[in-house]
Amino acid sequence: MRALCWEGVGKLAVRDVPEPAIRAAGDIIVKVKASSVCGSDLHLINGYLPAMREGDILGHEFMGEVVETGPDVRRIKVGDRVVVGSVVACGGCWYCRTEQYSLCDNSNPQPVFTEKLWGHSPAGILGYSHAAGGYSGSHAEYIRVPFGDVGAFTVPDGVPDDSVVFASDAMPTGWMAADFCGLKGGEVVAVWGAGGVGQMAARSAQILGAERVIVIDRLPERLATAAGRLGVETINYAETDVLEALRELTAGRGPDACIEAVGMESHDVGPIYAYDKAKQTARLQSDRPTSIRQAIMACRKGGTVSIVGVYGGLVDKFPLGAAMNKALVLRMGQMHAQRYIPMLLDRIAVGEIDPGYLATHPMPLEQGAKGYEIFEKKEDGCLRTVLHPQAA
């Protein structure tokens, strides 16, 4: 079969690779129909998570058709149209039983790296390096999904592939970001990042009761899409001082909750960003925490900072004093896909959330490297490239 593989830092190529096979009794094989790129893939491609090997298949946000099931699979059937959560979870450990699926004890078969780096190993993630289990990803014609009864969900009739694909990752990540904010109704929520996850976080915050949502980015087309599609307020950080703007918009108080949906390659303007980029390039810090710093400084006293952008290691000049003395609540993590996906599918089916507009650049798998280039450079108004492995 054909698959989009990592060929070294900054290099991708479509290769012929062996088709996946059932390895465990709970596995399923999915014929991939749509597989979205994701901003967190760029961290792998660019070498910031040093656990990739040449030939690794990328991709973790996808949907398709089940073509084979292991003998222990009961809920999912051959022929089912499914969306699959990117986080792999066993369904039986303490973390899974308490719906903290991204912390599963049993789904990362290669835990040594993350145990040393983070103290404990969280769940495995499809297509997300050998630190996350070494699973082959979804930018391929077929993919093996472990624990298929736990991680795959049948798609409601009438929901297009290029809409439901975002229920795999961007939507549950965005929903969890808003859920972490503990919204009661009437709050002001600021969201850093107007990409797919940021826009889904903004919509989720609205549904959960936020009175106002303010989205922060530098790309006019993304900000215009967020304003037009979601009715949010926007700030262009390339033109405006974010902290001053948020104080003005909240009568000096600051947002009740701040969501960081950018991650370790966050961008900014000015000397602090240049400092961060230089340190990351020299590997003196692994992540650029620009947007996290802003979120902590902007958030009102006693507010919540929710972090769902992916970070992998160490950062410099983290404003711990501001977080402590303002009594902020910090919540963060990889999303608990299996907790949120069934509910989100229901909301898509009735039209409460429509993520299909994120799929700005559909293209065949063979153009995958070009799709990532367009996505990374944010060309042509790209929000997400969605690859179609079955397309000619």
Side-chain angles (χ1 to χ4, degrees), residues 182-273:
L183 303 176
K184 305 298 184 182
E187 293 89 353
V188 177
V189 177
V191 180
W192 274 256
V197 171
Q199 297 212 25
M200 291 299 97
R203 178 64 184 129
S204 300
Q206 291 173 329
I207 293 171
L208 289 172
E211 181 176 326
R212 297 169 63 198
V213 177
I214 304 164
V215 173
I216 301 149
D217 206 294
R218 67 183 170 94
L219 299 174
E221 60 272 21
R222 289 193 174 187
L223 293 171
T225 298
R229 288 277 183 172
L230 307 177
V232 298
E233 300 167 69
T234 62
I235 296 173
N236 186 329
Y237 69 76
E239 300 175 351
T240 306
D241 184 290
V242 172
L243 300 185
E244 287 186 7
L246 287 172
R247 280 193 290 268
E248 290 180 5
L249 289 168
T250 59
R253 185 180 182 190
D256 299 290
C258 295
I259 294 173
E260 198 278 355
V262 183
M264 66 171 66
E265 294 181 75
S266 62
H267 183 273
D268 198 6
V269 294
I272 295 178
Y273 171 68

Coordinates of all heavy atoms in Angstrom, one line a residue, residues 182-273:
G182 N -14.1 25.1 33.2 CA -15.1 25.1 34.2 C -16.1 26.2 34.0 O -16.6 26.8 35.0
L183 N -16.6 26.4 32.8 CA -17.5 27.5 32.5 C -18.9 27.3 33.2 O -19.4 26.2 33.1 CB -17.7 27.7 31.0 CG -16.4 27.9 30.2 CD1 -16.6 28.0 28.8 CD2 -15.7 29.2 30.7
K184 N -19.4 28.4 33.7 CA -20.7 28.3 34.4 C -21.8 29.1 33.6 O -23.0 29.0 33.8 CB -20.7 28.8 35.8 CG -19.6 28.1 36.7 CD -19.9 26.7 36.9 CE -18.9 26.0 37.8 NZ -19.2 24.6 38.0
G185 N -21.3 30.0 32.7 CA -22.2 30.9 32.0 C -21.8 32.3 32.2 O -21.6 32.8 33.3
G186 N -21.7 33.1 31.1 CA -21.4 34.5 31.2 C -19.9 34.9 31.2 O -19.6 36.1 31.3
E187 N -19.0 33.9 31.0 CA -17.6 34.3 31.1 C -17.1 34.9 29.8 O -17.7 34.7 28.7 CB -16.8 33.0 31.4 CG -17.0 32.4 32.7 CD -18.2 31.4 32.8 OE1 -18.9 31.2 31.7 OE2 -18.4 30.7 33.8
V188 N -15.9 35.5 29.9 CA -15.1 35.9 28.8 C -13.9 34.9 28.6 O -13.2 34.7 29.6 CB -14.5 37.3 29.0 CG1 -13.6 37.7 27.8 CG2 -15.6 38.3 29.1
V189 N -13.8 34.3 27.5 CA -12.7 33.3 27.2 C -11.9 33.8 26.1 O -12.4 34.2 25.0 CB -13.3 32.0 26.8 CG1 -12.2 31.0 26.5 CG2 -14.2 31.4 28.0
A190 N -10.5 33.8 26.3 CA -9.6 34.2 25.2 C -8.9 32.9 24.7 O -8.6 32.0 25.5 CB -8.5 35.1 25.7
V191 N -8.8 32.8 23.4 CA -8.2 31.6 22.8 C -7.0 32.0 22.0 O -7.1 32.8 21.0 CB -9.2 30.9 21.9 CG1 -8.6 29.6 21.2 CG2 -10.5 30.5 22.7
W192 N -5.8 31.4 22.3 CA -4.6 31.7 21.5 C -4.6 30.6 20.4 O -4.5 29.4 20.7 CB -3.4 31.6 22.4 CG -3.0 32.9 23.0 CD1 -2.0 33.7 22.7 CD2 -3.7 33.5 24.2 NE1 -2.0 34.8 23.5 CE2 -3.0 34.7 24.5 CE3 -4.8 33.1 25.0 CZ2 -3.4 35.5 25.5 CZ3 -5.1 33.9 26.0 CH2 -4.5 35.1 26.3
G193 N -4.6 31.1 19.1 CA -4.5 30.2 18.0 C -5.9 30.1 17.3 O -6.9 29.7 17.9
A194 N -5.9 30.4 16.0 CA -7.1 30.3 15.2 C -7.0 29.2 14.1 O -7.7 29.3 13.1 CB -7.4 31.7 14.5
G195 N -6.2 28.2 14.4 CA -6.2 27.0 13.6 C -7.4 26.1 13.9 O -8.4 26.5 14.6
G196 N -7.4 24.9 13.5 CA -8.5 24.0 13.7 C -8.9 23.8 15.2 O -10.0 23.9 15.5
V197 N -7.9 23.5 16.0 CA -8.2 23.3 17.4 C -8.6 24.5 18.1 O -9.6 24.5 18.9 CB -6.9 22.7 18.1 CG1 -7.1 22.7 19.7 CG2 -6.6 21.3 17.6
G198 N -8.0 25.7 17.8 CA -8.4 26.9 18.4 C -9.9 27.3 18.0 O -10.6 27.7 18.9
Q199 N -10.2 27.1 16.8 CA -11.6 27.4 16.4 C -12.6 26.5 17.0 O -13.7 26.9 17.4 CB -11.7 27.4 14.8 CG -10.8 28.5 14.2 CD -11.4 29.1 12.9 OE1 -12.6 29.1 12.7 NE2 -10.5 29.6 12.1
M200 N -12.2 25.2 17.1 CA -13.1 24.3 17.8 C -13.2 24.6 19.3 O -14.3 24.4 19.9 CB -12.7 22.8 17.6 CG -12.8 22.3 16.1 SD -14.6 22.3 15.5 CE -14.6 23.9 14.6
A201 N -12.1 25.0 19.9 CA -12.2 25.4 21.3 C -13.1 26.6 21.5 O -13.9 26.7 22.4 CB -10.8 25.7 21.8
A202 N -13.0 27.6 20.5 CA -13.9 28.8 20.6 C -15.3 28.4 20.5 O -16.2 28.9 21.3 CB -13.5 29.7 19.5
R203 N -15.7 27.5 19.6 CA -17.1 27.1 19.4 C -17.5 26.3 20.6 O -18.7 26.5 21.1 CB -17.2 26.2 18.2 CG -18.7 25.7 17.9 CD -19.6 26.9 17.7 NE -21.0 26.4 17.6 CZ -22.0 26.9 18.3 NH1 -21.8 27.8 19.2 NH2 -23.2 26.4 18.1
S204 N -16.7 25.5 21.2 CA -17.0 24.7 22.4 C -17.3 25.6 23.6 O -18.2 25.4 24.3 CB -15.9 23.7 22.7 OG -15.7 22.8 21.6
A205 N -16.4 26.6 23.7 CA -16.6 27.6 24.8 C -18.0 28.3 24.7 O -18.7 28.5 25.7 CB -15.5 28.6 24.8
Q206 N -18.4 28.6 23.5 CA -19.7 29.2 23.3 C -20.8 28.3 23.7 O -21.7 28.7 24.5 CB -19.9 29.6 21.8 CG -19.0 30.7 21.3 CD -19.1 30.9 19.8 OE1 -19.3 30.0 19.1 NE2 -19.0 32.2 19.4
I207 N -20.7 27.0 23.3 CA -21.8 26.1 23.7 C -21.8 25.9 25.2 O -22.9 25.7 25.8 CB -21.5 24.7 22.9 CG1 -21.7 24.9 21.4 CG2 -22.5 23.6 23.4 CD1 -21.3 23.7 20.6
L208 N -20.7 25.9 25.8 CA -20.6 25.6 27.3 C -20.9 26.9 28.1 O -20.9 26.8 29.3 CB -19.2 25.1 27.6 CG -19.0 23.7 27.2 CD1 -17.5 23.3 27.4 CD2 -19.9 22.7 27.9
G209 N -21.3 28.0 27.5 CA -21.8 29.1 28.2 C -21.0 30.4 28.2 O -21.5 31.4 28.8
A210 N -19.9 30.5 27.5 CA -19.1 31.7 27.5 C -20.0 32.8 26.8 O -20.6 32.6 25.8 CB -17.8 31.5 26.7
E211 N -20.0 34.0 27.4 CA -20.7 35.1 26.9 C -19.9 35.8 25.7 O -20.5 36.2 24.7 CB -21.0 36.2 27.9 CG -21.8 37.4 27.5 CD -22.1 38.3 28.6 OE1 -22.3 37.9 29.7 OE2 -22.1 39.5 28.3
R212 N -18.6 35.8 25.9 CA -17.8 36.4 24.8 C -16.5 35.5 24.6 O -16.0 35.0 25.6 CB -17.3 37.8 25.2 CG -18.4 38.8 25.3 CD -17.9 40.1 26.0 NE -16.8 40.7 25.2 CZ -16.0 41.6 25.7 NH1 -16.0 42.0 26.9 NH2 -15.1 42.2 24.9
V213 N -16.1 35.3 23.4 CA -14.9 34.6 23.1 C -14.0 35.5 22.2 O -14.5 36.0 21.2 CB -15.2 33.2 22.3 CG1 -13.9 32.5 22.0 CG2 -16.1 32.3 23.2
I214 N -12.8 35.5 22.5 CA -11.8 36.4 21.8 C -10.7 35.5 21.3 O -10.1 34.8 22.1 CB -11.2 37.5 22.7 CG1 -12.3 38.3 23.4 CG2 -10.2 38.3 22.0 CD1 -11.9 39.1 24.6
V215 N -10.5 35.5 20.0 CA -9.5 34.6 19.4 C -8.3 35.4 18.9 O -8.5 36.5 18.3 CB -10.1 33.8 18.2 CG1 -9.1 33.1 17.4 CG2 -11.2 32.9 18.6
I216 N -7.1 34.9 19.2 CA -5.9 35.6 19.0 C -5.0 34.9 17.9 O -4.8 33.7 18.1 CB -5.1 35.8 20.3 CG1 -6.0 36.6 21.3 CG2 -3.8 36.5 20.1 CD1 -5.7 36.2 22.7
D217 N -4.6 35.6 16.9 CA -3.8 35.0 15.9 C -3.1 36.1 15.1 O -3.4 37.3 15.4 CB -4.6 34.1 14.9 CG -3.7 33.0 14.3 OD1 -2.9 33.3 13.5 OD2 -4.0 31.8 14.6
R218 N -2.3 35.8 14.1 CA -1.8 36.9 13.2 C -2.2 36.8 11.8 O -1.8 37.7 11.0 CB -0.2 36.8 13.3 CG 0.4 35.6 12.6 CD 1.9 35.5 12.8 NE 2.4 34.3 12.4 CZ 2.9 34.0 11.1 NH1 2.9 35.0 10.2 NH2 3.4 32.8 10.8
L219 N -2.9 35.8 11.4 CA -3.3 35.6 10.0 C -4.7 36.2 9.8 O -5.7 35.7 10.3 CB -3.3 34.1 9.6 CG -1.9 33.5 9.8 CD1 -2.0 32.0 9.5 CD2 -0.9 34.1 8.8
P220 N -4.8 37.2 9.0 CA -6.1 37.9 8.8 C -7.2 36.9 8.3 O -8.3 37.0 8.7 CB -5.8 39.0 7.8 CG -4.3 39.3 7.9 CD -3.7 38.0 8.3
E221 N -6.8 36.0 7.4 CA -7.8 35.1 6.8 C -8.4 34.1 7.9 O -9.5 33.8 7.9 CB -7.3 34.3 5.6 CG -6.1 33.5 5.9 CD -4.7 34.2 5.8 OE1 -4.7 35.4 5.9 OE2 -3.7 33.5 5.6
R222 N -7.5 33.7 8.8 CA -8.0 32.8 9.9 C -8.9 33.6 10.9 O -9.9 33.1 11.3 CB -6.8 32.2 10.6 CG -6.1 31.1 9.8 CD -5.1 30.3 10.6 NE -4.5 29.2 9.9 CZ -3.8 28.3 10.3 NH1 -3.5 28.3 11.7 NH2 -3.3 27.3 9.6
L223 N -8.4 34.8 11.2 CA -9.2 35.6 12.1 C -10.6 36.0 11.5 O -11.6 35.9 12.1 CB -8.5 36.9 12.5 CG -7.2 36.7 13.3 CD1 -6.4 38.0 13.4 CD2 -7.6 36.1 14.7
A224 N -10.6 36.2 10.2 CA -11.8 36.5 9.5 C -12.8 35.3 9.4 O -14.0 35.4 9.6 CB -11.6 37.0 8.0
T225 N -12.2 34.1 9.3 CA -13.0 32.9 9.3 C -13.6 32.7 10.7 O -14.8 32.3 10.8 CB -12.1 31.7 8.9 OG1 -11.6 31.9 7.6 CG2 -12.9 30.4 9.0
A226 N -12.8 32.8 11.7 CA -13.3 32.7 13.1 C -14.4 33.7 13.4 O -15.5 33.3 13.9 CB -12.2 32.8 14.1
A227 N -14.2 34.9 13.0 CA -15.3 35.9 13.2 C -16.5 35.6 12.4 O -17.6 35.7 12.9 CB -14.7 37.3 12.9
G228 N -16.3 35.3 11.1 CA -17.5 35.0 10.3 C -18.2 33.8 10.6 O -19.5 33.8 10.6
R229 N -17.5 32.7 10.9 CA -18.2 31.4 11.2 C -18.7 31.3 12.6 O -19.8 30.7 12.8 CB -17.1 30.3 10.9 CG -16.8 30.0 9.5 CD -17.8 29.1 8.9 NE -17.5 28.8 7.5 CZ -18.2 27.9 6.7 NH1 -19.2 27.3 7.3 NH2 -17.8 27.7 5.5
L230 N -18.0 31.9 13.5 CA -18.3 31.7 14.9 C -18.8 32.9 15.6 O -19.4 32.8 16.7 CB -17.1 31.2 15.7 CG -16.4 29.9 15.1 CD1 -15.1 29.6 15.9 CD2 -17.3 28.7 15.0
G231 N -18.7 34.1 15.0 CA -19.1 35.3 15.7 C -18.3 35.7 16.9 O -18.8 36.4 17.8
V232 N -17.0 35.4 16.8 CA -16.1 35.7 18.0 C -15.5 37.1 17.7 O -15.4 37.6 16.6 CB -15.0 34.6 18.1 CG1 -15.7 33.3 18.5 CG2 -14.1 34.5 16.9
E233 N -14.9 37.7 18.7 CA -14.0 38.8 18.6 C -12.6 38.3 18.3 O -12.3 37.2 18.6 CB -14.1 39.6 19.9 CG -15.5 40.1 20.3 CD -15.5 40.7 21.7 OE1 -14.9 41.7 21.9 OE2 -16.2 40.0 22.5
T234 N -11.8 39.2 17.7 CA -10.5 38.8 17.3 C -9.4 39.8 17.7 O -9.7 41.0 17.7 CB -10.4 38.5 15.8 OG1 -10.7 39.7 15.1 CG2 -11.4 37.4 15.4
I235 N -8.2 39.4 17.9 CA -7.0 40.2 18.1 C -5.9 39.7 17.1 O -5.6 38.5 17.2 CB -6.6 40.2 19.5 CG1 -7.6 40.8 20.5 CG2 -5.2 41.0 19.6 CD1 -7.2 40.6 21.9
N236 N -5.4 40.6 16.4 CA -4.2 40.3 15.5 C -2.9 40.7 16.3 O -2.6 41.9 16.4 CB -4.3 41.0 14.2 CG -3.1 40.6 13.2 OD1 -2.0 40.2 13.7 ND2 -3.4 40.6 12.0
Y237 N -2.2 39.7 16.8 CA -1.1 40.0 17.7 C 0.1 40.7 16.9 O 1.0 41.3 17.6 CB -0.6 38.8 18.5 CG 0.1 37.7 17.7 CD1 1.4 37.8 17.2 CD2 -0.6 36.5 17.4 CE1 2.0 36.8 16.5 CE2 0.0 35.5 16.6 CZ 1.3 35.7 16.2 OH 1.9 34.7 15.5
A238 N 0.1 40.6 15.6 CA 1.1 41.2 14.8 C 0.9 42.7 14.7 O 1.8 43.5 14.4 CB 1.2 40.6 13.4
E239 N -0.3 43.2 15.1 CA -0.7 44.6 14.9 C -1.0 45.2 16.3 O -1.1 46.5 16.4 CB -1.9 44.7 14.0 CG -1.7 44.2 12.6 CD -3.0 44.2 11.8 OE1 -4.0 44.5 12.3 OE2 -2.9 44.0 10.5
T240 N -1.3 44.4 17.3 CA -1.8 44.9 18.5 C -1.1 44.3 19.7 O -0.8 43.1 19.7 CB -3.3 44.6 18.6 OG1 -4.0 45.2 17.5 CG2 -3.9 45.2 19.9
D241 N -0.9 45.0 20.8 CA -0.4 44.4 22.0 C -1.5 43.6 22.7 O -2.5 44.1 23.0 CB 0.1 45.5 22.9 CG 0.7 45.0 24.2 OD1 0.0 44.4 25.1 OD2 2.0 45.1 24.4
V242 N -1.3 42.3 22.7 CA -2.3 41.4 23.2 C -2.8 41.7 24.6 O -4.0 41.7 24.9 CB -1.9 39.9 23.0 CG1 -2.9 39.0 23.7 CG2 -1.7 39.6 21.6
L243 N -1.8 41.9 25.5 CA -2.2 42.1 26.9 C -3.0 43.4 27.1 O -4.0 43.5 27.8 CB -0.9 42.1 27.8 CG -0.1 40.8 27.8 CD1 1.0 40.9 28.8 CD2 -1.0 39.6 28.1
E244 N -2.5 44.5 26.4 CA -3.3 45.7 26.5 C -4.7 45.6 25.9 O -5.7 46.1 26.4 CB -2.5 46.8 25.8 CG -1.3 47.3 26.5 CD -0.6 48.5 25.8 OE1 -1.2 49.0 24.8 OE2 0.5 48.9 26.2
A245 N -4.8 44.9 24.7 CA -6.1 44.7 24.1 C -7.0 44.0 25.0 O -8.2 44.3 25.1 CB -5.9 44.0 22.7
L246 N -6.6 42.9 25.6 CA -7.4 42.1 26.5 C -7.9 42.9 27.7 O -9.0 42.7 28.2 CB -6.7 40.8 26.9 CG -6.6 39.8 25.7 CD1 -5.7 38.6 26.2 CD2 -8.0 39.3 25.3
R247 N -7.0 43.7 28.2 CA -7.4 44.5 29.4 C -8.5 45.5 28.9 O -9.5 45.7 29.7 CB -6.2 45.3 29.9 CG -5.3 44.5 30.8 CD -4.3 45.3 31.6 NE -3.3 45.9 30.7 CZ -2.1 45.3 30.5 NH1 -1.8 44.2 31.0 NH2 -1.2 45.9 29.6
E248 N -8.3 46.1 27.8 CA -9.3 47.1 27.3 C -10.7 46.4 27.0 O -11.7 46.9 27.3 CB -8.8 47.7 26.0 CG -7.7 48.7 26.2 CD -7.2 49.4 24.9 OE1 -7.9 49.1 23.9 OE2 -6.2 50.1 25.0
L249 N -10.6 45.2 26.5 CA -11.8 44.4 26.1 C -12.6 43.9 27.4 O -13.7 43.5 27.3 CB -11.5 43.3 25.2 CG -11.2 43.7 23.8 CD1 -10.6 42.5 23.0 CD2 -12.4 44.3 23.0
T250 N -11.9 43.8 28.5 CA -12.5 43.3 29.7 C -12.5 44.3 30.9 O -12.6 43.9 32.0 CB -11.7 42.0 30.2 OG1 -10.3 42.4 30.4 CG2 -11.8 40.9 29.1
A251 N -12.5 45.6 30.5 CA -12.5 46.7 31.5 C -11.4 46.5 32.6 O -11.6 46.8 33.8 CB -13.9 46.7 32.2
G252 N -10.3 46.0 32.2 CA -9.1 45.9 33.1 C -9.0 44.6 33.8 O -8.0 44.4 34.5
R253 N -10.1 43.8 33.8 CA -10.1 42.6 34.6 C -9.3 41.5 34.1 O -8.7 40.7 34.8 CB -11.6 42.2 34.8 CG -11.7 41.0 35.8 CD -13.2 40.7 35.9 NE -13.5 39.6 36.8 CZ -14.6 39.0 37.0 NH1 -15.6 39.3 36.2 NH2 -14.7 38.0 37.8
G254 N -9.3 41.3 32.8 CA -8.7 40.1 32.1 C -9.7 39.0 31.9 O -10.8 39.0 32.5
P255 N -9.5 38.1 30.9 CA -10.4 37.0 30.6 C -10.6 36.1 31.8 O -9.6 35.9 32.6 CB -9.7 36.3 29.4 CG -8.7 37.3 28.9 CD -8.3 38.1 30.0
D256 N -11.7 35.5 31.9 CA -12.0 34.6 33.0 C -11.2 33.3 32.8 O -10.8 32.6 33.7 CB -13.5 34.2 33.1 CG -14.3 35.5 33.4 OD1 -14.2 35.9 34.6 OD2 -15.0 35.9 32.5
A257 N -11.0 32.9 31.5 CA -10.3 31.7 31.2 C -9.5 32.0 29.9 O -10.0 32.7 29.0 CB -11.2 30.5 31.0
C258 N -8.3 31.4 29.8 CA -7.5 31.5 28.6 C -7.1 30.1 28.1 O -6.7 29.3 28.9 CB -6.2 32.3 29.0 SG -6.5 34.0 29.5
I259 N -7.3 29.9 26.8 CA -7.0 28.6 26.2 C -5.8 28.8 25.3 O -5.8 29.6 24.4 CB -8.3 28.1 25.4 CG1 -9.4 27.8 26.4 CG2 -7.9 26.9 24.6 CD1 -10.7 27.5 25.7
E260 N -4.8 27.9 25.5 CA -3.6 27.9 24.6 C -3.8 26.7 23.7 O -3.7 25.6 24.1 CB -2.4 27.8 25.5 CG -1.1 28.2 24.7 CD -0.5 27.1 23.9 OE1 -1.1 26.0 23.9 OE2 0.5 27.4 23.2
A261 N -4.0 27.0 22.4 CA -4.2 26.0 21.4 C -3.1 26.1 20.3 O -3.4 26.0 19.1 CB -5.6 26.1 20.8
V262 N -1.9 26.4 20.7 CA -0.8 26.7 19.7 C 0.3 25.6 19.8 O 0.5 24.8 18.8 CB -0.2 28.1 19.9 CG1 0.9 28.3 18.8 CG2 -1.2 29.1 19.9
G263 N 0.9 25.5 20.9 CA 1.9 24.5 21.1 C 3.4 25.0 21.0 O 3.7 26.2 21.0
M264 N 4.3 24.0 21.0 CA 5.7 24.2 21.2 C 6.4 25.1 20.1 O 7.5 25.5 20.3 CB 6.5 22.9 21.3 CG 6.5 22.1 20.0 SD 7.6 20.7 20.2 CE 6.8 19.7 21.4
E265 N 5.8 25.3 19.0 CA 6.3 26.2 18.0 C 5.6 27.5 17.8 O 5.4 28.1 16.8 CB 6.4 25.5 16.6 CG 7.3 24.3 16.6 CD 7.4 23.6 15.3 OE1 8.0 24.1 14.3 OE2 6.8 22.5 15.2
S266 N 5.1 28.0 19.0 CA 4.3 29.2 18.9 C 5.1 30.4 18.4 O 6.3 30.5 18.6 CB 3.7 29.5 20.3 OG 4.7 29.8 21.2
H267 N 4.4 31.3 17.7 CA 5.0 32.5 17.1 C 4.6 33.7 17.8 O 3.6 33.8 18.4 CB 4.5 32.5 15.6 CG 5.1 33.6 14.8 ND1 4.6 34.9 14.7 CD2 6.2 33.6 14.0 CE1 5.3 35.6 13.9 NE2 6.3 34.9 13.4
D268 N 5.5 34.8 17.6 CA 5.1 36.1 18.1 C 6.0 37.1 17.4 O 6.7 36.7 16.4 CB 5.4 36.2 19.6 CG 4.7 37.3 20.3 OD1 3.9 38.0 19.6 OD2 4.9 37.6 21.5
V269 N 5.9 38.3 17.8 CA 6.8 39.4 17.2 C 7.6 40.0 18.3 O 7.2 39.9 19.5 CB 5.9 40.5 16.5 CG1 5.2 39.9 15.3 CG2 4.9 41.1 17.5
G270 N 8.8 40.6 18.0 CA 9.5 41.2 19.0 C 10.7 40.4 19.5 O 10.9 39.3 19.1
P271 N 11.5 41.0 20.4 CA 12.8 40.4 20.8 C 12.6 39.1 21.7 O 13.5 38.2 21.6 CB 13.5 41.5 21.6 CG 12.3 42.4 22.0 CD 11.3 42.4 20.9
I272 N 11.5 39.0 22.4 CA 11.4 37.8 23.2 C 11.1 36.6 22.4 O 11.7 35.5 22.6 CB 10.2 38.0 24.2 CG1 10.5 39.1 25.2 CG2 9.9 36.7 25.0 CD1 9.4 39.4 26.2
Y273 N 10.4 36.8 21.3 CA 10.2 35.7 20.3 C 11.5 35.3 19.7 O 11.8 34.1 19.5 CB 9.1 36.0 19.3 CG 9.1 35.0 18.2 CD1 8.6 33.7 18.4 CD2 9.5 35.3 16.9 CE1 8.6 32.8 17.4 CE2 9.5 34.4 15.9 CZ 9.0 33.1 16.1 OH 9.0 32.2 15.1

